[in-house]
């Protein structure tokens, strides 16, 4: 058995090599656009309903997608119907789910404020006037003087009071201006 004439830096211990490192050449698929030498990592169909693919770099994939007509061969009514069906379901052109990881709202409210709005049964974009009106309505409905002996109403009243305090403190912090 002949020995290899090339030496490796691992001294015969393959686990010392980095993952994915090898002495063989790695094949890189180039972009299918004529004259481009970038790696072609983005597959694109050569024609509708065809398994054949072009492989473009990011720049040429964007150029290709700008010119692609998804509704080619359909009448205007069929195209509108298909677009409505695809936007209605999550598998069409819906917003990506990772943009909504924090829940509803525009990001200007804290998690405690969002919980307080839920207690007051308000939308995330409610103004402080809406908060005050909901607080008064729910406090009157659940006040212990109005419902004596009702422990559930007293618990709800305490929750409404705490929610209002959280939202009032947040509103004061937003509108406070240094002297």
């Amino acid at each position: 058995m002949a020995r290899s004439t090339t030496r490796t830096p691992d001294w015969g211990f393959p686990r010392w090599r980095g993952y994915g490192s090898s002495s063989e050449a790695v094949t890189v698929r180039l972009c299918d656009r004529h004259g481009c030498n970038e790696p072609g990592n983005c597959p694109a169909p050569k024609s509708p309903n065809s398994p054949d693919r072009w492989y473009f770099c990011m720049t040429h994939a964007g150029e290709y997608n700008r010119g692609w007509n998804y509704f080619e061969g359909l009448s205007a009514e069929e195209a509108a119907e298909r677009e409505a069906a695809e936007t209605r379901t999550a598998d069409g052109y819906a917003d990506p789910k990772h943009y909504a990881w924090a829940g509803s709202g525009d990001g200007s409210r804290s998690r405690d404020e969002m919980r307080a709005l839920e207690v007051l049964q308000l939308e995330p974009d409610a103004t402080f006037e809406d908060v005050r009106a909901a607080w008064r309505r729910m406090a009157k409905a659940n006040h212990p003087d109005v419902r004596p002996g009702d422990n559930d109403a007293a618990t709800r009243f305490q929750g409404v009071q705490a929610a209002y305090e959280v939202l009032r403190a947040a509103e004061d912090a937003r509108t406070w201006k240094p002297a």
Side-chain angles (χ1 to χ4, degrees):
M1 185 162 115
R3 289 190 159 226
S4 173
T5 58
T6 60
R7 293 189 180 257
T8 61
D10 61 9
W11 296 329
F13 299 102
R15 291 197 175 228
W16 287 7
R17 290 187 208 131
Y19 290 112
S21 67
S22 64
S23 57
E24 294 88 29
V26 177
T27 57
V28 176
R29 183 180 198 112
L30 293 180
C31 179
D32 285 335
R33 182 69 180 261
H34 180 71
C36 182
N37 292 325
E38 296 293 318
N41 299 329
C42 303
K46 287 188 177 184
S47 64
N49 302 321
S50 171
D52 296 331
R53 301 276 186 252
W54 297 107
Y55 288 89
F56 293 120
C57 63
M58 290 298 281
T59 305
H60 293 119
E63 181 181 306
Y64 177 83
N65 285 334
R66 279 191 295 276
W68 182 263
N69 183 2
Y70 294 97
F71 306 112
E72 187 175 1
L74 298 177
S75 67
E77 294 83 23
E78 292 171 334
E81 181 181 322
R82 183 181 288 178
E83 183 178 12
E86 288 178 352
T87 54
R88 185 172 40 250
T89 61
D91 60 349
Y93 301 110
D95 287 336
K97 299 293 181 211
H98 61 271
Y99 288 136
W101 67 269
S104 59
D106 60 356
S108 63
R109 295 190 186 264
S110 69
R111 183 176 292 147
D112 292 334
E113 291 175 78
M114 296 300 286
R115 283 194 206 115
L117 288 170
E118 287 177 15
V119 168
L120 294 175
Q121 301 170 353
L122 294 172
E123 296 293 319
D125 58 349
T127 63
F128 192 68
E129 289 77 26
D130 298 335
V131 169
R132 187 173 289 137
W135 168 66
R136 286 182 178 161
R137 176 178 43 83
M138 293 181 82
K140 284 180 184 179
N142 295 304
H143 198 278
D145 291 343
V146 175
R147 296 181 161 199
D150 189 357
N151 291 335
D152 292 335
T155 304
R156 284 193 302 268
F157 178 76
Q158 289 173 350
V160 167
Q161 288 297 105
Y164 179 73
E165 289 300 319
V166 166
L167 292 169
R168 187 175 60 82
E171 182 67 18
D172 289 345
R174 273 193 202 91
T175 57
W176 181 79
K177 293 181 180 130

